[in-house]
Amino acid sequence: MTAPPTPRVLVLRALGLGDLLTAVPALRALRRHVPGHELVLAAPRRLSGPAAATGLVDRLLPTSAPGREVPAELPWTGPPPELAVDLHGNGPPSHRLLEHLHPDRLFAYVNPDTPTITGPRWREDEHERDRWCRLLHWYDVPADPLDLRIPAPTPPSPAPGAVVVHPGADAAARRWPKERFAAVARELRRSGHDVVVTAGAGEGALAGYVAERAGLAPSAVLGGTGDVPFDQLAALVAQARCVVVGDTGLAHLATALGTCSVVLFGPVAPRLWGPPPDPRHRVLWHPGQDDSPRPGDAHGRTPDARLLRIGVEEVVEAVRAVTAGAADAPVTGSVRG
């Protein structure tokens, strides 16, 4: 007698590394809610390593779409999913993409253009981790937004105990000037820290500039021609003394692995994407008179004005604070001005 097929849950989160890691609390809640189900994550193929590293995803369903757009289709085969969960957004494109698969149940935020879906209302001013846990709570699935850690990687770090400086970001608006990153790396090196500079695909020249100006050897640069393999990157971050980074995926990896971090925020407020309150993490954020959640353009072509208000010595002092145990750091881990 043929055994019945394993029921499947499909989760749509076809975005980037940071997006995946902020969804870990929701993914963990779903895993507990549907034991014995295969949990399938619809996401870009490049996230197969990070998805596996969470220990929560059974299989990645590869997606393709420009930028942060909703994929036009999903390569789903076989019976419809027992449950589909929209962790991608709150608009009709992602809703209809999942509805097209005819799942038995669909969890999503309510939208007037997809009236068949009954769910909670979307809030603009809400942290990404809280957003998706609230969605699940509405469907009676308990979820804790602070349940965000992922298992420590097993490979050894290529630079154990180093301070990791990551000057890149996928938009110039969230990219602190390279001269300032170089000045921070130089001062940290002078203070006795081992410093490595990481680079994503296409960021080799940027990382090389920072390393050279900081007086580091070319071997201190990891990545650049392509992304650093995720198992190597995760090992580096997990065993780092601190990570200095803008509002990008590596910041969320530090949070997920419990590594000290100093995160530089510009166009988007840390209350939407920042680390949780923890003395291991220091957020630098200077909104000025505009304390709205998105005062700038996160995809702008020039560094955001709020980001440029962050000074070199401020970053160096923040690294010293978190690496010393942050005894005098505020409980929120946040610096505002």
Side-chain angles (χ1 to χ4, degrees), residues 6-321:
T6 302
R8 294 180 292 176
V9 173
L10 174 63
V11 177
L12 177 64
R13 186 72 168 163
L15 297 164
L17 174 60
D19 304 278
L20 169 62
L21 294 173
T22 55
V24 161
L27 290 171
R28 183 163 287 124
L30 285 169
R31 171 60 76 191
R32 288 193 297 262
H33 181 65
V34 286
H37 289 57
E38 181 185 30
L39 199 153
V40 181
L41 176 69
R45 191 181 299 276
R46 67 180 182 277
L47 293 183
S48 58
T54 67
L56 303 170
V57 174
D58 295 307
R59 180 165 59 89
L60 187 130
L61 186 69
T63 63
S64 178
R68 297 176 68 83
E69 293 183 16
V70 177
E73 59 183 4
L74 296 175
W76 183 268
T77 58
E82 182 178 286
L83 170 64
V85 184
D86 187 353
L87 298 186
H88 192 95
N90 74 322
S94 57
H95 291 179
R96 290 169 181 156
L97 181 67
L98 294 176
E99 283 185 318
H100 182 71
L101 301 178
H102 305 291
D104 293 344
R105 294 180 293 161
L106 174 56
F107 292 176
Y109 277 101
V110 69
N111 188 289
D113 293 326
T114 48
T116 58
I117 294 176
T118 303
R121 292 187 178 277
W122 182 271
R123 297 174 186 164
E124 287 296 331
D125 193 353
E126 184 172 31
H127 197 287
E128 196 72 1
R129 290 187 302 270
D130 297 331
R131 183 188 310 286
W132 303 116
C133 289
R134 183 170 65 87
L135 173 68
L136 297 185
H137 272 292
W138 197 91
Y139 291 101
D140 296 323
V141 178
D144 180 1
L146 295 180
D147 193 4
L148 49 76
R149 295 289 294 273
I150 65 173
T154 54
S157 168
V163 174
V164 176
V165 174
H166 185 78
D170 62 5
R174 292 181 283 113
R175 200 177 300 136
W176 203 46
K178 60 184 180 181
E179 296 83 5
R180 300 190 197 183
F181 269 115
V184 167
R186 183 169 59 249
E187 182 57 33
L188 293 174
R189 179 184 64 80
R190 288 175 177 171
S191 299
H193 291 285
D194 291 330
V195 180
V196 297
V197 184
T198 51
E203 295 176 342
L206 171 62
Y209 174 95
V210 171
E212 181 182 6
R213 289 294 186 94
L216 302 172
S219 59
V221 175
L222 298 180
T225 55
D227 289 329
V228 180
F230 184 76
D231 58 347
Q232 183 181 359
L233 182 65
L236 173 70
V237 170
Q239 298 173 49
R241 187 162 175 77
C242 182
V243 174
V244 182
V245 63
D247 176 18
T248 190
L250 203 69
H252 298 287
L253 183 58
T255 300
L257 291 169
T259 299
C260 290
S261 66
V262 174
V263 189
L264 288 58
F265 274 83
V268 178
R271 67 177 182 265
L272 300 187
W273 287 94
D278 190 314
R280 287 173 295 186
H281 307 302
R282 180 70 68 93
V283 164
L284 302 181
W285 161 242
H286 297 304
Q289 297 300 312
D290 187 353
D291 197 17
S292 59
R294 294 179 176 84
D297 179 3
H299 306 288
R301 297 182 179 181
T302 58
D304 184 78
R306 284 149 288 269
L307 192 62
L308 295 178
R309 293 172 188 154
I310 300 171
V312 169
E313 187 58 31
E314 183 180 10
V315 176
V316 172
E317 288 302 319
V319 173
R320 289 172 178 157

